[in-house]
Structures are given as C-alpha cells and as structure tokens.
C-alpha cells in the first residue's frame, strides 16, 4: 500500500469564518445509489460533485447558535489503523408530537447528512459504510422559562476518510421544495 506524503503547508487563517450549523439535509443511506467525487489529476480534493438518491431529502433546521459537528481522528500506531469519527449534535426546540415522531424516524434510520455550516460550506457525513446513526440524545422540558424545551440529538458515523465538502450545485439539485421547512 502506498502512503500519502505531506504536500502542502497550513497557514494561520483569517478571522473571516463562523462556527455552527445553519441547516442539515438528510437522506436514507439505503436510497443513495451513487456518490461522485472530484478526483481529477488537477484537483484531487475529493469533494463531492454528485449524489444520486432514489428517495427524498429532508431539511432539518436546528435552533440558532445551538448545533455543531466535529470530526475526531482515531489512530492506533500499534495496529497501523486510522479512522475518523464524525459527530453531529443537533438541537431542536418546541417539543411537539410531530417533532417527537420525526425524531423517532431519525433514530431508526441510517442516514447521509449534508450539513451546511454558517460559512455556507456543505459537508457530508455518513457517506462511508452504513451511514450516520443516532448514538444518543435527550428530550427535555427545561426548568426555567428560557430553557430548552425540545430535543438534543447526537448522530455519529465512522469513516476511513475525513468528511468531504459537497458542491453547492449538488445540494441545490436535491432540495425538494415540498419538504423544506419554509423558514
């Protein structure tokens, strides 16, 4: 097996970005029939340039300034292995029966998530293997008037490679106006 070698530097970034998640698009992983990556000789960044889905995409909009996704690098020098754990933490407020029902469906599903961060960049998690799955969460009434009355979900997947960005034109092609939240 050939190993990758370091080919570029990492410079200090400008302070022109923001944390957090704007919205998430979710599809059942069993409905994804193909994912195309940009792997040309001139641009081997592996970004996603196409997703073929025989089912629907669903828009999930978490509470403002409440949600995030992280990627943990897990490596074993002794075993010569490395994998990436991708974790989305999503917070949805206003506990209702409809929200409860959708959360139950999410908990029973293996998903591909396309996450739009607050910089307008789209990231795919759940692309490799069995998709992303709910690994924890809570539903709470809150105590004080300003507390969360809703759900906090943790959705996780393991991958051989870091999360890839998704071309915005790909996202625009699968947004179903009937399944959008309208906000």
């Amino acid at each position: 097996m050939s190993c990758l070698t370091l080919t570029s530097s990492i410079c200090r970034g400008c302070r022109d970005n923001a944390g957090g998640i704007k919205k998430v698009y979710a599809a059942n992983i069993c409905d994804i029939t193909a994912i195309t990556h940009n792997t040309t000789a001139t641009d081997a960044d592996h970004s996603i340039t196409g997703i073929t889905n025989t089912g629907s995409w669903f828009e999930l909009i978490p509470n403002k300034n409440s949600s995030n996704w992280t990627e943990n690098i897990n490596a074993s020098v002794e075993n010569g292995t490395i994998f990436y754990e991708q974790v989305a933490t999503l917070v949805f407020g206003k506990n209702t029966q409809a929200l409860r029902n959708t959360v139950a469906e999410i908990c029973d599903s293996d998903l591909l998530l396309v996450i739009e961060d607050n910089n307008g960049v789209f990231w795919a998690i759940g692309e490799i293997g069995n998709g992303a799955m709910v690994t924890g969460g809570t539903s709470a009434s809150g105590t004080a008037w300003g507390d969360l009355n809703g759900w906090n979900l943790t959705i996780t997947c393991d991958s051989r490679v870091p999360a890839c960005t998704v071309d915005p034109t790909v996202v625009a092609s699968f947004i179903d106006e009937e399944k959008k939240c309208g906000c």
Side-chain angles (χ1 to χ4, degrees):
M1 175 182 101
S2 68
C3 296
L4 294 176
T5 57
L6 184 63
T7 60
S8 61
S9 300
I10 300 175
C11 299
R12 182 178 55 215
C14 299
R15 296 184 338 174
D16 60 351
N17 65 2
I21 291 177
K22 183 176 181 181
K23 57 178 80 164
V24 177
Y25 299 96
N28 293 303
I29 196 72
C30 62
D31 293 334
I32 305 297
T33 57
I35 297 177
T36 307
H37 289 265
N38 181 4
T39 56
T40 63
T42 58
D43 189 7
D45 65 6
H46 300 283
S47 61
I48 294 174
T49 57
I51 300 174
T52 305
N53 178 13
T54 59
S56 296
W57 287 93
F58 299 92
E59 188 176 57
L60 311 173
I61 301 179
N63 287 5
K64 191 177 201 176
N65 300 326
S66 68
S67 301
N68 67 77
W69 78 274
T70 59
E71 186 160 55
N72 302 307
I73 302 170
N74 296 288
S76 170
V77 175
E78 299 81 10
N79 296 325
T81 58
I82 190 166
F83 70 95
Y84 302 84
E85 177 191 46
Q86 298 153 353
V87 181
T89 303
L90 306 175
V91 178
F92 303 100
K94 195 171 182 184
N95 219 347
T96 64
Q97 184 66 36
L99 177 58
R100 175 252 178 234
N101 294 347
T102 302
V103 167
E105 290 175 355
I106 292 170
C107 289
D108 285 342
S109 301
D110 299 330
L111 303 169
L112 171 63
L113 300 181
V114 175
I115 298 169
E116 181 180 4
D117 68 20
N118 280 329
N119 301 300
V121 178
F122 296 93
W123 297 91
I125 69 169
E127 170 193 2
I128 305 291
N130 296 323
M133 299 171 234
V134 172
T135 55
T138 58
S139 172
S141 67
T143 302
W145 285 87
D147 291 350
L148 172 68
N149 176 293
W151 289 83
N152 185 326
L153 296 179
T154 303
I155 304 174
T156 306
C157 93
D158 293 331
S159 177
R160 295 183 323 273
V161 297
C164 293
T165 58
V166 181
D167 186 300
T169 60
V170 173
V171 177
S173 72
F174 61 61
I175 296 174
D176 184 343
E177 292 299 320
E178 292 179 13
K179 298 202 174 33
K180 284 182 71 172
C181 294
C183 52

